[in-house]
């Protein structure tokens, strides 16, 4: 009887082992939304808001990963990304395994989103393992690409007040205008953004050679590599740049601005032929709207539109997070302004669902 019992236990354990599966980070069943690169089976990336989708039948999901520095990620389990994540994880090791899920054995989908920017680190997704079976995932049919600066990254969105210092763990692209707009239209969001960067000059004239014009064509934010080979085509591209160009009481020369903004628009058009491009002008700087309007006109490109955010769109108390950057309230107000322009440019219907 004892031998029979042990034999049954052995076959049960054997069956469990046989059901387990380990895959490389680059497995075709895993979906990456954003710019990534593959090497030796691993997928690595550094742009803020890069999203990863994994689906499986089982009770456990582990991520084998690494990072060049320290990156934070949002995690959603069995739901679409929203303003409230189910968990957040930090990857700060050269080689580590993180348990993303442990619970009831069933079919589950886990979605991860990089919270922090490229300067905080490059993430390496080496592989995934489960006690069950991996299933196919897919990106949503619509993709919106957002080209921007700290507002698009979500810099300081979770800060408690405008006087709060910046903390990497309080940066959250899921609370940005880009995320709100994408959720409203049921679209994936790709953020090509870096805090402090501008078109003709960066914040305080810092590191002028790495403006968003040069960074836009790269696979990585922090590494000047070969020109990015498009792995997706956006349905619409939103450009929200200029605040840093007009920082600390200065403004760029119009000739330089026009030249570089036109170059950026042509680069976007090369990557995404024919799609609408919408350019926002913030309320910082009295002439910014005329700068954007003039550059759009001089580009000579069809299907490129612009508009300026109205003065007073944010208040200076409840709408600000850390270092005078918009919190979720402020970000939603920008989203409210942008949504009708995207609906008109794309022909997408505006629904009555709440914008969250």
């Amino acid at each position: 009887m004892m031998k029979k019992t042990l034999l049954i236990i052995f076959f049960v354990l054997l069956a469990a082992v046989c059901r387990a599966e380990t895959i490389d980070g680059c497995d075709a069943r895993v979906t990456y939304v954003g710019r990534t690169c593959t090497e030796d089976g691993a997928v690595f990336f550094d742009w803020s808001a890069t999203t990863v989708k994994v689906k499986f039948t089982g009770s456990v999901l582990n991520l084998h990963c690494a990072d060049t520095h320290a990156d934070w990620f949002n995690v959603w389990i069995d739901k679409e990304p929203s303003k409230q994540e189910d968990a957040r994880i930090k990857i700060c090791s050269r080689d580590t395994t993180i348990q993303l899920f442990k619970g009831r054995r069933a079919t589950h989908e886990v979605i991860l989103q990089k919270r922090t920017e490229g300067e905080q680190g490059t993430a390496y997704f080496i592989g995934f393992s489960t006690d069950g079976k991996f299933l196919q995932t897919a990106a949503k049919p619509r993709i919106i690409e957002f080209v921007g600066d700290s507002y698009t990254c979500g810099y300081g969105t979770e800060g408690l007040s405008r006087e709060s210092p910046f903390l990497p763990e309080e940066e959250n692209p899921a609370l940005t205008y880009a995320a709100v707009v994408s959720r409203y239209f049921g679209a994936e969001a790709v953020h090509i953004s870096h805090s402090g960067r501008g078109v003709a000059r960066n914040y305080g004239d810092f590191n002028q050679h790495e403006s968003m014009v040069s960074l836009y064509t790269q696979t990585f934010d922090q590494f000047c590599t070969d020109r990015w080979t498009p792995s997706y085509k956006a349905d619409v591209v939103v450009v929200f740049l200029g605040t840093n160009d007009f920082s600390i009481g200065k403004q760029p020369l119009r000739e330089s601005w026009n030249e570089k903004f036109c170059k950026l628009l042509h680069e976007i058009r090369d990557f995404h032929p024919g799609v609408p491009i919408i350019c926002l002008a913030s309320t910082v700087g009295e002439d910014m709207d005329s700068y954007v309007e003039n550059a759009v006109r001089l580009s000579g490109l069809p299907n490129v539109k612009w508009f300026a955010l109205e003065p007073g769109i944010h208040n200076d108390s409840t709408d600000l997070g850390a270092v005078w950057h918009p919190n979720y309230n402020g970000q939603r107000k920008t989203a409210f302004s942008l949504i009708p322009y995207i609906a008109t440019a794309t022909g997408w219907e505006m629904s009555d669902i709440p914008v969250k």
Side-chain angles (χ1 to χ4, degrees):
M1 184 67 179
M2 179 64 70
K3 289 183 178 180
K4 185 176 181 180
T5 301
L6 291 174
L7 193 61
I8 293 173
I9 294 174
F10 171 77
F11 281 114
V12 168
L13 292 174
L14 181 63
V17 170
C18 291
R19 286 198 302 269
E21 187 174 15
T22 298
I23 59 174
D24 288 338
C26 68
D27 191 280
R29 288 167 287 183
V30 181
T31 296
Y32 293 85
V33 180
R35 298 185 184 182
T36 64
C37 189
T38 301
E39 183 178 289
D40 297 330
V43 177
F44 52 109
F45 51 89
D46 70 347
W47 287 107
S48 170
T50 302
T51 300
V52 186
K53 301 183 178 185
V54 188
K55 193 173 184 179
F56 66 101
T57 297
S59 62
V60 175
L61 176 67
N62 295 314
L63 166 65
H64 184 198
C65 57
D67 202 281
T68 58
H69 182 49
D71 272 308
W72 289 88
F73 281 79
N74 288 321
V75 181
W76 292 276
I77 299 171
D78 294 336
K79 67 179 68 167
E80 289 296 321
S82 65
K83 66 177 183 177
Q84 183 59 60
E85 72 278 8
D86 290 320
R88 65 180 66 177
I89 61 172
K90 185 180 182 181
I91 304 175
C92 54
S93 171
R94 291 290 181 180
D95 191 349
T96 188
T97 298
I98 298 175
Q99 188 172 85
L100 298 175
F101 176 85
K102 184 176 183 180
R104 183 174 61 88
R105 188 175 191 86
T107 297
H108 303 282
E109 184 175 50
V110 175
I111 300 177
L112 301 98
Q113 180 192 57
K114 191 173 186 288
R115 289 172 61 106
T116 36
E117 299 180 47
E119 63 185 359
Q120 299 296 330
T122 299
Y124 289 74
F125 278 25
I126 301 167
F128 297 90
S129 62
T130 181
D131 60 349
K133 183 75 175 176
F134 285 99
L135 305 174
Q136 185 64 54
T137 57
K140 298 173 183 175
R142 294 173 176 175
I143 296 177
I144 307 176
E145 183 179 88
F146 297 87
V147 184
D149 50 34
S150 55
Y151 282 27
T152 306
C153 294
Y155 184 103
T157 50
E158 294 183 349
L160 297 179
S161 73
R162 64 193 188 189
E163 285 82 22
S164 300
F166 169 74
L167 298 173
E169 58 266 36
E170 292 181 345
E171 186 169 37
N172 190 353
L175 301 181
T176 62
Y177 75 95
V180 174
V181 167
S182 298
R183 290 194 290 262
Y184 179 84
F185 286 112
E188 302 284 6
V190 175
H191 297 214
I192 307 300
S193 56
H194 189 122
S195 293
R197 297 298 189 263
V199 176
R201 56 185 292 270
N202 296 321
Y203 182 83
D205 285 327
F206 170 75
N207 201 355
Q208 297 182 55
H209 299 294
E210 290 188 0
S211 70
M212 280 308 301
V213 181
S214 60
L215 294 179
Y216 178 76
T217 61
Q218 299 179 178
T219 302
F220 294 93
D221 178 2
Q222 290 290 282
F223 304 105
C224 185
T225 56
D226 295 336
R227 182 181 175 86
W228 179 60
T229 301
S231 55
Y232 62 87
K233 180 182 178 182
D235 296 283
V236 59
V237 178
V238 176
V239 181
F240 190 14
L241 289 167
T243 301
N244 293 306
D245 292 87
F246 285 77
S247 62
I248 61 173
K250 297 181 180 180
Q251 65 185 45
L253 296 174
R254 282 186 178 270
E255 184 175 326
S256 175
W257 168 274
N258 288 336
E259 175 189 351
K260 294 182 178 181
F261 201 94
C262 287
K263 181 180 179 181
L264 175 62
L265 292 177
H266 279 272
E267 296 284 13
I268 293 171
R269 178 60 78 228
D270 284 345
F271 285 158
H272 307 291
V275 308
I277 302 173
I278 301 175
C279 305
L280 281 70
S282 78
T283 56
V284 178
E286 295 179 359
D287 298 328
M288 190 183 299
D289 55 348
S290 66
Y291 271 62
V292 174
E293 178 186 19
N294 195 42
V296 167
R297 178 178 55 81
L298 290 174
S299 74
L301 292 171
N303 208 12
V304 180
K305 309 177 187 302
W306 76 276
F307 79 95
L309 296 173
E310 292 295 325
I313 189 172
H314 303 143
N315 64 46
D316 289 340
S317 55
T318 59
D319 289 345
L320 295 179
V323 199
W324 289 76
H325 279 69
N327 59 17
Y328 179 57
N329 283 339
Q331 293 276 3
R332 287 183 74 218
K333 290 180 179 180
T334 298
F336 286 1
S337 300
L338 178 58
I339 284 170
Y341 281 86
I342 290 181
T344 299
T346 60
W348 296 344
E349 291 292 331
M350 290 186 63
S351 70
D352 294 327
I353 64 171
V355 183
K356 296 183 178 179

